[in-house]
Amino acid sequence: GFDFVNVWAIESSTGYAYPQLIINLDPNLGEPSAVWDGTVADGFAVGTGSKDDPYLIQTAEELAFLAFSVADGNTYYDKYFKLENDIVLNNTSAKYWILNASKWTPIGSYENRFMGNFDGAGHTIRGLYIDTAEDYQGLFGYIISGTVTGVHIEEAYIAAGHYVGGVAGYNEDSAMSDCYNSGTVSGY
């Protein structure tokens, strides 16, 4: 039978009452990743942030904690992070998914810049959604003197002001490698 609590949902606000998959069950992607509900974790469950013991980001809620913590003024200078799983920020399977999407707050801004080292480990972040007139938008809004590696953004929708990108809106003196975005990005 269908599990309409943990696996399937019927979204009728779009006018279509068809079941929609709400978790990622691809066996090649490791553990199933629940679709993010917009909540923020209380901290990182694993790691100290050192090079040998990085903060391990296992859920969308922990990724959101990083964004909100940087917005609060923590630059994470010389701290290390590693993404442990694919992350599903929004279910993009519905035709009009952006109508009910959870909005992403970028990791870093002009006022509060991210200065850490983020290893995406080749994992994918799906359904990144940003729609704002603000500048410095992307998974990372503003990164300075840090590194970002192995981050794959897919099925994103990002519309913002200036300095807009899928992985990073603005990169100042930071190394980026093995990263890509296959979603829509527009700025003015």
Side-chain angles (χ1 to χ4, degrees), residues 10-159:
I10 294 182
E11 178 59 56
S12 59
S13 65
T14 60
Y16 302 100
Y18 297 107
Q20 295 178 6
L21 185 64
I22 59 173
I23 65 170
N24 179 359
L25 293 175
D26 187 334
N28 299 319
L29 301 177
E31 292 298 313
S33 176
V35 177
W36 182 47
D37 63 3
T39 59
V40 179
D42 293 328
F44 304 112
V46 181
T48 61
S50 70
K51 188 172 188 174
D52 294 330
D53 187 28
Y55 293 118
L56 300 182
I57 296 178
Q58 301 172 331
T59 66
E61 292 78 10
E62 289 177 334
L63 189 63
F65 174 78
L66 174 58
F68 279 85
S69 184
V70 173
D72 243 5
N74 189 343
T75 65
Y76 288 103
Y77 175 75
D78 204 29
K79 294 293 182 182
Y80 291 81
F81 300 84
K82 184 174 181 184
L83 192 59
E84 288 287 290
N85 298 305
D86 288 354
I87 301 290
V88 181
L89 296 176
N90 285 288
N91 180 355
T92 60
S93 65
K95 185 174 181 180
Y96 301 106
W97 69 272
I98 62 173
L99 296 177
N100 297 311
S102 295
K103 292 184 180 179
W104 178 251
T105 297
I107 301 168
S109 65
Y110 182 79
E111 294 80 17
N112 297 300
R113 301 164 187 180
F114 177 73
M115 300 177 76
N117 304 284
F118 190 93
D119 178 5
H123 288 290
T124 300
I125 298 172
R126 293 186 193 287
L128 177 67
Y129 176 74
I130 299 171
D131 190 2
T132 182
E134 294 182 26
D135 300 334
Y136 304 103
Q137 300 293 310
L139 176 66
F140 292 87
Y142 199 121
I143 179 172
I144 182 172
S145 303
T147 61
V148 177
T149 60
V151 174
H152 304 159
I153 307 291
E154 294 184 1
E155 300 168 4
Y157 177 86
I158 304 166

